[in-house]
Amino acid sequence: MTVSILLFLPIVAALLVLLFKNETVKHAALFFALVELGIAAYFLAGFVPDASVQYAIDAPWIPKMGIYFSAGIDGISMIMVLLTTVLVPLIILTTYKHEYKNAKAFYALILFMQAGLLTVFTALDGFLFYVGWEAALIPIYFICALWGGENRIRINIKFFIYTFAGSLFMLLGIIYLYLQTPAKVYDLRGFYDLSLTLTQQSWVFWAFFIAFAIKMPIFPFHTWQPDTYTEAPSAGTMMLSGIMLKMGIYGVIRWLIPNAPAGFLQWQNLVIILSVIGIVYASLIAFNQKDGKRLVAYSSIAHVGLIAAGIFAWTTQGVQGAMIQMLSHGINVVGMFFIWDIISRRLNTRDISQMGGIAKVAPNFSIAFLIILLGTVALPLTNGFVGEFLLLKGVFNYNIWFAAVAGLTIIFGAVYMLRMYKNVMQGETNELTAIFTDISGSEKLVLGIICVLIIGIGVYPQPILHISEAAVTNLVNTVSAKFNNAQF
Amino acid sequence: MTTLIIISVLPIVILYLGLYKVQKALLPVTVVGLLAALGAAVMQWDNNAEPIYHGMMLFNNFSVAFSVVSIVSTILILLLSKGYFERISNHIAEYYAIILFSLVGIIVMVSYHNLTMLFIGIEIMSVSLYILAGIRKSDFASNEAALKYFLMGAFSTGFLLFGITLIYGSSGSFDLDVIRDWVVTHPRNIDPLFYTGIMLIIIGLCFKVGAAPFHFWTPDVYEGAPSLITLFMSTVVKVAGFAAFLRLFSACFLTIAGFWTPVLLVITIITLFIGNITALYQQSFKRMMAFSSISHAGYLLFAIVALGAGSANSIFVYATAYSIASIIAFGALILVRQQTGSDNFEGFNGLAKKNPFLALVLTVSMLSLAGIPLTAGFIGKFFMFSGALAHYNFWLVIIAVVNAIISIFYYFRVIIAMYFRSAERAEVEVPAYYKFVLGFSAVVTIVIGIYPTFISSLI
């Protein structure tokens, strides 16, 4: 079995769900997403956690141009595949209480997007990577623009243009690398073997960096994010924040730094500073948010800023921290947006200041909310802690002052998150919140799974760290070797 | 050569059919005749052709490939014309005949091996087009279009002819091979008049393909002419213009590229910006397509600026993708216009609810024109960018990327109107012919987008 089955199944599924009726299509979508999860689990069971690429496929696609359908799973990709295949069924489950108009198209787009995401996470060919990158963008644009809130048209065209602009520059970077390879191939390993001059690497670095920085997003490329997250339908927000932004982070680890190590080192300080500014900036704005979904959106920028800083510090610990934090952040942020989806569906508002005392009327909900919140603020024994600790360690090794400022994210995060919890859940129940009914059915299931994952990974992160350890170590060493060997 | 003969005889047959009032047979006969011409063209493939008729024509793979694109596009366009010409005129046979005459000129333009044949081909094509643009005799805009096109066209043909004469004066021949040999053997002492000739030819050809700053006729002519004629001009004619352009420059002037490349570079950049930025401000879908066709001319010029072994193939792929997408766009426009009576973007509001098929194919077309992956348009842009980067034209490609981003705004306006804006409207009736042409074009767009291998190494 090769990874291609993982990439093509969602496309087939996306076409098949179109045959179902609008009322039953969610079950079909969930079924296919679970099959996909099953395949990923099968891959995981047979996965050998060394640095090698497994389940690889390498078929000619446009051989004349040096383009091959080349994909495979190593430790880093395995984490991303797990992230995607676990979250997509969960996200589909969160939509069970929604009645979307034209639901067939909605689920088909989600499944199609999953194919694009998995392509990005497993591609070993520059062209394939780019195609997957864009194939994930088109469906999410339609999801957000068709089922989103009031200002969806204006906001989503901004989002689309932002990300499309970034990716076109990345395409130039990819073509440029291709032209430098002696064998004229788009193969990633061919790219790794190149030895470019410092100037060349700087150009390549920026071509890739802009694309990834927009996707994550890193300050000052973040301006599309809060609006898009707020206006998107909740499932779209979860796809964007839970999985799609990881495309940018993954891209940095796999495509940016190893392809242009010297260019990266030259700009390392700047990009870390940008990441750290993003952390503080987003946290400060999050303090003042009245809209709960928007608050979570800003907190996501802060968390991603820390992940970016940890990667840009480029130590094994930092990158390992980024790997596990990508998984944890995906789980937590999906949980958080689901919490706000539940609240806004019941109360028809997301205004924090109008709420209070929900804990009294909805005890199960308040427990789940609290656990997800603790995971988000990185309390020890939750999943958030493991990753943020390693990330901060990575930044600390690079520069103690950066680490000190980046560490503020934990304090800030705790303050605005707990304040949000206090305002929403505690205090006296008022007229608005008295009607709040506790969670049931699919809501209970989703929040239950998320809580188990948060605590499970928090208490025993070793298996997950183990998956990516060899691959990350190998990658970090390759890059440092490449840098040491180069003469400038 | 058989292709050319078939397409030349066909319009005469059509005219006789018109004379005897067999209106129903016009379209089938035309299509069957074109299919025969298409078959004859394909038979020529890989024949290692030599120049024939004293070096006048050369039917090599290049000309076969572009003949095939032109003929297939013409067939698709003619299929869309079912019922269209009847509504705007009584002389239907003339339409078919003139379009076919124009196609004769186009086949000559893609297979010439002698500058006189280039001139004759361009003239056969252009004279037919002048008539076609003004074929709605009582319509003011159509008349204006025809007159404008004729005056400007005659002017530019003058430039072209003057250029050809100067080149003849310097090199002593109209034959492409002889001119090339003359350029190669006289690297040091090329006559200034020869360079002037190249410049004049560039001006003449840029006019024909609608590249800025020689584009002023395009918006008015495209808007004034009947939609199907606009479609024919902006796809088949433009593609033929580029094929002729490329054939001349790659055959003769490759070794002195350092002289004319900077000129074309400037023209390309101006074309991209003027086409895209003006398209942004259009309220009419048809006019937007006119300006976007200017910007596509800019992308197509990439292959000539970065002239190399892959140029022919890049233009071929790009032109195919662009033509197919345009056919969908204009087909949808004609249908929507029949219902709403206007060319404006508002006419598309809420189309997706009533006509999901039409909205879907038009979306595919817009995505392809915008160059989004998994469509043919992306493959075309990808080839163009690769070619230009291989020649180290970094700034050109960065400018092209900026323009690709600008183009998203206006292409997505249609998608937004169809899917995200609502309007009270009835279902647009889509005839079976349209369903076939639009569906076929959309499928081809996606197939080329996913698996371009078969088309990527033809020429």
Side-chain angles (χ1 to χ4, degrees):
Chain A
M1 282 234 287
T2 65
V3 66
S4 52
I5 184 167
L6 211 54
L7 305 184
F8 286 115
L9 181 75
I11 298 177
V12 176
L15 295 175
L16 284 179
V17 295
L18 289 174
L19 303 175
F20 283 80
K21 286 205 179 82
N22 277 330
E23 294 77 37
T24 52
V25 65
K26 52 189 164 197
H27 305 300
L30 181 65
F31 170 76
F32 286 118
L34 286 173
V35 172
E36 187 80 356
L37 176 62
I39 296 171
Y42 175 80
F43 280 175
L44 179 65
F47 184 76
V48 187
D50 56 13
S52 65
V53 175
Q54 292 157 47
Y55 307 108
I57 175 162
D58 195 8
W61 188 5
I62 315 174
K64 189 196 160 217
M65 303 283 289
I67 296 167
Y68 289 80
F69 192 92
S70 168
I73 302 181
D74 68 350
I76 298 171
S77 296
M78 192 73 226
I79 300 272
M80 308 313 295
V81 168
L82 284 181
L83 171 81
T84 313
T85 50
V86 168
L87 284 185
V88 169
L90 277 180
I91 291 170
I92 291 175
L93 257 180
T94 65
T95 63
Y96 259 51
K97 301 234 161 160
H98 280 275
E99 288 305 328
Y100 288 113
K101 256 195 269 175
N102 204 357
K104 283 190 291 192
F106 182 81
Y107 292 104
L109 286 171
I110 288 201
L111 289 168
F112 187 76
M113 185 178 172
Q114 187 183 21
L117 291 163
L118 287 169
T119 309
V120 167
F121 293 144
T122 55
L124 294 172
D125 180 282
F127 188 83
L128 182 64
F129 177 73
Y130 180 77
V131 168
W133 183 273
E134 295 292 354
L137 175 63
I138 302 290
I140 192 68
Y141 169 74
F142 277 98
I143 290 173
C144 293
L146 278 172
W147 290 276
E150 273 169 36
N151 291 322
R152 59 209 160 91
I153 296 177
R154 187 179 54 80
I155 285 168
N156 278 302
I157 194 78
K158 181 176 167 190
F159 159 61
F160 188 88
I161 292 206
Y162 240 112
T163 42
F164 186 67
S167 55
L168 275 179
F169 285 106
M170 178 175 83
L171 177 65
L172 296 190
I174 292 174
I175 297 177
Y176 182 77
L177 287 173
Y178 153 79
L179 290 167
Q180 306 306 314
T181 52
K184 292 281 182 286
V185 285
Y186 280 92
D187 191 274
L188 178 64
R189 287 147 291 195
F191 289 179
Y192 280 8
D193 291 338
L194 288 173
S195 43
L196 306 176
T197 67
L198 186 58
T199 328
Q200 287 176 314
Q201 292 201 20
S202 282
W203 282 102
V204 173
F205 174 80
W206 283 105
F208 279 92
F209 177 77
I210 291 175
F212 299 147
I214 290 173
K215 207 70 149 197
M216 285 198 247
I218 290 180
F219 177 88
F221 302 98
H222 65 282
T223 53
W224 61 270
Q225 191 255 32
D227 287 340
T228 310
Y229 279 21
T230 316
E231 291 292 324
S234 58
T237 317
M238 293 175 200
M239 291 298 280
L240 277 168
S241 59
I243 315 176
M244 195 163 179
L245 73 83
K246 273 77 181 182
M247 282 167 45
I249 303 172
Y250 172 83
V252 170
I253 297 176
R254 173 88 71 195
W255 292 88
L256 174 65
I257 296 176
N259 279 335
F264 158 66
L265 278 175
Q266 197 178 19
W267 299 100
Q268 189 176 23
N269 244 333
L270 177 67
V271 291
I272 294 189
I273 290 172
L274 285 181
S275 313
V276 173
I277 291 176
I279 296 173
V280 179
Y281 172 84
S283 302
L284 291 178
I285 295 182
F287 275 122
N288 289 325
Q289 294 306 314
K290 290 207 170 63
D291 182 330
K293 202 174 174 187
R294 222 178 157 78
L295 190 152
V296 180
Y298 276 108
S299 90
S300 176
I301 299 183
H303 283 111
V304 169
L306 180 60
I307 301 182
I311 293 173
F312 287 133
W314 202 246
T315 59
T316 311
Q317 279 155 337
V319 180
Q320 271 287 64
M323 293 312 302
I324 193 159
Q325 181 63 2
M326 274 197 265
L327 194 61
S328 307
H329 177 263
I331 295 164
N332 296 342
V333 86
V334 165
M336 243 341 160
F337 279 122
F338 189 41
I339 292 283
W340 277 103
D341 180 40
I342 292 173
I343 294 177
S344 67
R345 201 148 24 99
R346 285 185 174 44
L347 305 180
N348 282 323
T349 175
R350 297 189 299 253
D351 188 346
I352 296 173
S353 59
Q354 292 180 23
M355 296 174 195
I358 293 178
K360 283 184 188 144
V361 287
N364 290 332
F365 177 69
S366 77
I367 293 170
F369 193 171
L370 190 62
I371 292 176
I372 294 170
L373 184 127
L374 294 177
T376 310
V377 302
L379 194 80
L381 292 185
T382 63
N383 60 356
F385 176 72
V386 190
E388 298 216 335
F389 180 79
L390 288 169
L391 285 165
L392 281 174
K393 180 89 179 9
V395 182
F396 186 87
N397 287 349
Y398 179 76
N399 183 320
I400 182 162
W401 292 106
F402 289 167
V405 181
L408 289 175
T409 177
I410 296 190
I411 302 166
F412 284 151
V415 175
Y416 60 74
M417 281 291 174
L418 288 170
R419 205 171 60 165
M420 171 179 85
Y421 187 79
K422 190 192 83 187
N423 285 341
V424 174
M425 304 302 287
Q426 292 168 337
E428 291 304 311
T429 313
N430 59 25
E431 277 174 25
L432 179 73
T433 53
I435 53 155
F436 198 97
T437 46
D438 207 349
I439 48 173
S440 58
S442 63
E443 296 168 342
K444 243 185 194 165
L445 184 62
V446 173
L447 290 177
I449 294 171
I450 288 177
C451 290
V452 168
L453 286 172
I454 288 175
I455 295 173
I457 298 174
V459 173
Y460 191 52
Q462 189 50 34
I464 289 171
L465 289 171
H466 186 59
I467 293 174
S468 60
E469 192 167 13
V472 167
T473 315
N474 181 39
L475 193 66
V476 172
N477 291 342
T478 316
V479 170
S480 24
K482 200 172 158 185
F483 183 67
N484 293 335
N485 291 340
Q487 302 293 325
F488 294 112
Chain B
M1 196 61 209
T2 329
T3 316
L4 193 58
I5 295 168
I6 295 177
I7 302 180
S8 307
V9 174
L10 194 57
I12 300 169
V13 175
I14 296 291
L15 281 178
Y16 272 104
L17 288 178
L19 206 58
Y20 295 111
K21 305 273 178 216
V22 263
Q23 311 271 9
K24 285 228 156 57
L26 289 177
L27 184 60
V29 171
T30 315
V31 170
V32 169
L34 284 177
L35 286 175
L38 185 67
V42 173
M43 299 283 280
Q44 286 285 318
W45 186 255
D46 263 346
N47 266 2
N48 291 327
E50 290 292 314
I52 48 175
Y53 301 122
H54 305 282
M56 284 292 173
M57 308 286 279
L58 171 62
F59 289 95
N60 55 1
N61 281 359
F62 177 92
S63 30
V64 172
F66 280 101
S67 301
V68 167
V69 176
S70 306
I71 296 172
V72 170
S73 306
T74 311
I75 293 177
L76 291 177
I77 293 169
L78 287 177
L79 285 178
L80 291 184
S81 75
K82 173 94 173 129
Y84 182 83
F85 293 141
E86 280 88 337
R87 252 178 290 120
I88 54 174
S89 165
N90 297 323
H91 311 281
I92 311 153
E94 280 82 344
Y95 271 100
Y96 291 102
I98 299 173
I99 289 181
L100 290 172
F101 278 131
S102 175
L103 190 60
V104 171
I106 284 163
I107 303 288
V108 175
M109 278 169 75
V110 301
S111 358
Y112 69 95
H113 192 255
N114 187 303
L115 289 178
T116 49
M117 290 313 287
L118 168 67
F119 180 73
I120 290 171
I122 286 184
E123 279 304 279
I124 297 176
M125 178 193 81
S126 302
V127 171
S128 314
L129 286 177
Y130 302 147
I131 306 170
L132 284 173
I135 202 146
R136 273 191 302 197
K137 276 181 257 179
S138 51
D139 185 82
F140 187 73
S142 187
N143 275 309
E144 185 196 335
L147 192 64
K148 250 186 189 160
Y149 193 29
F150 173 65
L151 289 177
M152 299 297 277
F155 199 53
S156 79
T157 317
F159 276 103
L160 182 71
L161 196 57
F162 197 16
I164 291 176
T165 326
L166 289 180
I167 290 201
Y168 176 76
S170 314
S171 66
S173 175
F174 291 122
D175 191 275
L176 298 192
D177 283 343
V178 179
I179 296 174
R180 186 195 55 217
D181 293 342
W182 184 82
V183 172
V184 173
T185 48
H186 296 71
R188 293 271 174 271
N189 51 350
I190 291 180
D191 205 330
L193 283 181
F194 188 84
Y195 288 128
T196 319
I198 295 181
M199 283 291 105
L200 291 171
I201 288 184
I202 287 181
I203 292 174
L205 288 174
C206 279
F207 175 89
K208 289 293 169 198
V209 299
F214 314 104
H215 68 285
F216 287 103
W217 58 277
T218 23
D220 289 340
V221 173
Y222 282 11
E223 199 183 19
S227 292
L228 270 183
I229 305 302
T230 309
L231 175 58
F232 185 72
M233 285 198 283
S234 67
T235 55
V236 186
V237 171
K238 198 177 273 261
V239 171
F242 271 103
F245 209 144
L246 181 67
R247 201 172 169 103
L248 177 61
F249 278 69
S250 65
C252 301
F253 307 141
L254 188 57
T255 45
I256 45 170
F259 165 69
W260 50 266
T261 304
V263 179
L264 269 189
L265 200 62
V266 173
I267 291 178
T268 309
I269 293 169
I270 300 176
T271 307
L272 281 174
F273 274 112
I274 287 186
N276 272 311
I277 293 176
T278 331
L280 269 184
Y281 294 102
Q282 302 308 316
Q283 292 308 316
S284 149
F285 178 78
K286 197 171 167 187
R287 226 176 148 78
M288 180 278 274
M289 286 301 291
F291 281 106
S292 101
S293 88
I294 297 177
S295 79
H296 284 289
Y299 291 113
L300 280 159
L301 278 172
F302 269 54
I304 302 175
V305 171
L307 199 55
S311 286
N313 210 48
S314 304
I315 286 198
F316 178 65
V317 173
Y318 198 101
T320 311
Y322 164 73
S323 302
I324 296 173
S326 297
I327 289 171
I328 301 179
F330 276 94
L333 172 71
I334 290 170
L335 292 177
V336 170
R337 195 202 153 103
Q338 275 170 19
Q339 193 201 32
T340 61
S342 112
D343 289 334
N344 286 358
F345 284 109
E346 286 76 33
F348 291 87
N349 283 359
L351 190 69
K353 280 212 183 67
K354 296 286 178 189
N355 291 76
F357 169 76
L358 200 58
L360 184 69
V361 291
L362 189 54
T363 305
V364 170
S365 145
M366 289 297 126
L367 293 180
S368 181
L369 288 173
I372 309 282
L374 300 181
T375 62
F378 167 67
I379 302 294
K381 280 213 172 64
F382 177 72
F383 280 20
M384 289 296 174
F385 288 179
S386 303
L389 273 181
H391 279 68
Y392 297 96
N393 287 317
F394 293 114
W395 289 107
L396 178 61
V397 180
I398 288 174
I399 287 171
V401 163
V402 171
N403 277 284
I405 295 161
I406 298 174
S407 73
I408 296 283
F409 279 103
Y410 55 83
Y411 289 129
F412 269 57
R413 253 174 98 176
V414 188
I415 299 179
I416 287 170
M418 288 191 299
Y419 282 93
F420 313 140
R421 297 196 196 283
S422 48
E424 287 298 316
R425 66 180 307 145
E427 194 181 330
V428 177
E429 205 178 311
V430 186
Y433 277 95
Y434 274 72
K435 271 197 183 128
F436 167 73
V437 173
L438 300 185
F440 173 77
S441 306
V443 168
V444 171
T445 301
I446 290 176
V447 167
I448 295 179
I450 291 174
Y451 196 66
T453 314
F454 69 95
I455 197 176
S456 67
S457 48
L458 274 181
I459 312 176

